């Protein structure tokens, strides 16, 4: 596995800043056959989970006979145009989030969201937006990284809570540790009140899934924390997730997105599709933990997991 140099990354940033993808007059037209470049660049957004997914993709593509490079570009405003131009060929994304991002890019920041809790609806919107830009969105698997809400295990036992509906029915007052935008976001305070009837008394602005936020719940200052379904550190704070049983959160399933002209062929689709029936949300959380808590390299964690699952030799 080879990584590009810092100079190459700097060149990518400079070029991507002036890249817009297919010309406007040809948007919506996809006429060229899918490409199958022998050397593929796999992009990562620079956080642990994205690094792990990029490593999984690269190692599966290596196994399929491709030569791969890895490139980290933390800003979606940079890596998405680079994906359109073919400077990046493959990147892991999240279905609902990426659909909404592409929609805002195409229709302006005030465009209504197209991502939804329904995966089929979300994927249809995502592919409709991605295709005119020369991008192909491959099938999602089982792994999903959604917003999620956690309480202490002791609190859940004491009040017989397994779901967010249980919490709403309990009528317990809840102080929520989350980002300060939670008071306005429909998936957060407004949604918890409207969909579940939860009595949110205050939002404690400590961030999404931060150590500070989880400690505030652990010590009883707050009763619940906004985090994600692949948070690997909940057990360290004695926290458990409450199930989103009424599907408030959008369908942020992991999806590979490829540049169609360079990596849209059947071999790439088959290689990456091998993850679909195997990689789970729990697998991602466990791998995140190995990198974040055990300080293992993402490449080693990905390789061990792939070998354990019989996906690479």
């Amino acid at each position: 596995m080879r990584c590009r140099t810092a100079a190459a990354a700097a060149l990518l940033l400079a070029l991507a800043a002036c890249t817009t993808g297919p010309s406007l007059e040809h948007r919506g037209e996809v006429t060229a056959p899918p490409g199958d470049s022998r050397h593929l660049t796999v992009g990562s957004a620079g956080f642990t989970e994205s690094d792990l997914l990029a490593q999984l993709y690269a190692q599966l593509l290596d196994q399929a006979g491709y030569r791969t490079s890895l490139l980290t570009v933390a800003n979606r405003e940079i890596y998405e145009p680079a994906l359109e131009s073919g400077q990046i060929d493959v990147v892991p994304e999240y279905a609902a989030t990426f659909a909404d991002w592409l929609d805002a890019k195409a229709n302006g920041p005030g465009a209504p969201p197209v991502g939804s809790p329904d995966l089929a609806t979300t994927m249809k919107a995502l592919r409709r937006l991605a295709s005119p830009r020369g991008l192909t969105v491959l099938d999602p698997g089982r792994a999903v990284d959604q917003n999620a809400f956690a309480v202490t295990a002791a609190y859940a036992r004491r009040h017989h809570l397994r779901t967010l509906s249980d919490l709403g029915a309990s009528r317990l007052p809840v102080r929520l540790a989350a980002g300060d935008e939670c008071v306005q976001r429909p998936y957060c305070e407004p949604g918890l009140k409207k969909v579940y009837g939860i009595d949110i008394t205050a939002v404690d602005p400590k961030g999404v899934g931060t150590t500070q936020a989880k400690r505030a719940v652990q010590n009883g200052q707050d009763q619940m924390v906004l985090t994600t379904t692949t948070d690997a550190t909940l057990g360290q704070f004695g926290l458990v997730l409450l199930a989103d049983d009424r599907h408030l959160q959008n369908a942020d399933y992991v999806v590979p997105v490829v540049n169609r002209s360079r990596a849209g062929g059947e071999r790439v689709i088959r290689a990456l599709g091998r993850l679909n029936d195997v990689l789970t949300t729990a697998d991602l959380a466990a791998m995140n933990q190995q990198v974040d808590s055990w300080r293992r390299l993402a490449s080693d964690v990905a390789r061990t997991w792939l070998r354990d699952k019989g996906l690479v030799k």
Side-chain angles (χ1 to χ4, degrees):
M1 189 75 57
R2 290 194 294 270
C3 297
R4 292 197 174 176
T5 64
L11 177 61
L12 169 63
L13 298 183
L15 291 174
C18 58
T19 300
T20 58
S23 60
L24 290 175
E25 63 268 26
H26 296 298
R27 287 283 166 89
E29 300 179 19
V30 181
T31 57
D36 190 25
S37 175
R38 300 294 299 171
H39 183 188
L40 299 176
T41 298
V42 181
S44 164
F47 56 94
T48 296
E49 188 169 290
S50 187
D51 289 344
L52 281 164
L53 288 165
Q55 286 285 349
L56 292 172
Y57 292 1
Q59 292 181 35
L60 284 171
L61 290 169
D62 286 342
Q63 173 89 358
Y66 292 93
R67 211 160 42 93
T68 62
S69 298
L70 285 158
L71 184 61
T72 299
V73 184
N75 189 320
R76 187 179 274 119
E77 284 76 8
I78 298 297
Y79 75 66
E80 189 278 331
L83 183 62
E84 289 186 30
S85 72
Q87 294 163 308
I88 293 176
D89 303 304
V90 185
V91 71
E93 264 293 355
Y94 301 91
T97 296
F98 196 44
D100 286 342
W101 193 88
L102 288 179
D103 187 45
K105 183 175 181 178
N107 300 309
V114 295
S116 79
D118 181 74
L119 178 59
T121 300
T122 297
M123 288 297 295
K124 182 177 179 180
L126 175 54
R127 284 170 166 154
R128 172 177 55 80
L129 290 159
S131 181
R133 297 184 176 277
L135 306 180
T136 296
V137 182
L138 306 189
D139 289 342
R142 300 165 61 192
V144 57
D145 188 351
Q146 295 170 313
N147 293 306
F149 297 90
V151 299
T152 65
Y155 183 85
R157 284 194 302 271
R158 185 162 62 251
H159 299 292
H160 309 290
L161 307 176
R162 291 196 297 176
T163 68
L164 290 171
S165 288
D166 292 339
L167 182 57
S170 75
R171 303 301 179 193
L172 291 164
V174 174
R175 181 177 163 94
L176 174 64
D180 54 8
E181 72 280 2
C182 177
V183 296
Q184 298 177 338
R185 296 286 174 87
Y187 66 79
C188 203
E189 181 184 0
L192 291 172
K193 289 180 174 179
K194 180 179 179 180
V195 175
Y196 288 107
I198 296 173
D199 180 16
I200 304 294
T201 59
V203 172
D204 187 5
K206 286 185 163 59
V208 179
T210 63
T211 297
Q212 184 185 22
K214 283 180 274 197
R215 281 180 178 158
V217 177
Q218 182 184 39
N219 65 28
Q221 177 184 342
D222 299 328
Q223 286 72 52
M224 188 163 69
V225 60
L226 170 62
T227 182
T228 67
T229 52
T230 59
D231 188 330
T233 64
L234 293 177
Q236 298 174 26
F237 298 90
L239 304 179
V240 293
L241 294 179
L242 295 180
D244 179 23
D245 54 310
R246 295 184 185 172
H247 307 292
L248 172 62
Q249 303 304 323
N250 282 343
D252 259 331
Y253 283 73
V254 174
V255 289
V257 183
V258 303
N259 177 287
R260 184 177 186 272
S261 66
R262 287 182 50 81
E266 283 298 322
R267 285 204 309 142
V268 169
I269 293 172
R270 284 197 303 270
L272 299 183
R274 298 181 70 197
L275 287 176
N276 287 0
D277 295 329
V278 184
L279 181 65
T280 67
T281 303
D283 289 332
L284 271 183
M287 285 190 280
N288 285 339
Q289 182 179 35
Q290 291 180 56
V291 174
D292 290 335
S293 299
W294 304 356
R295 302 305 181 194
R296 294 188 62 197
L297 294 175
S299 57
D300 293 340
V301 172
R303 185 176 300 106
T304 298
W305 184 87
L306 288 168
R307 285 175 175 169
D308 287 347
K309 300 296 181 180
L311 297 178
V312 300
K313 296 177 181 179

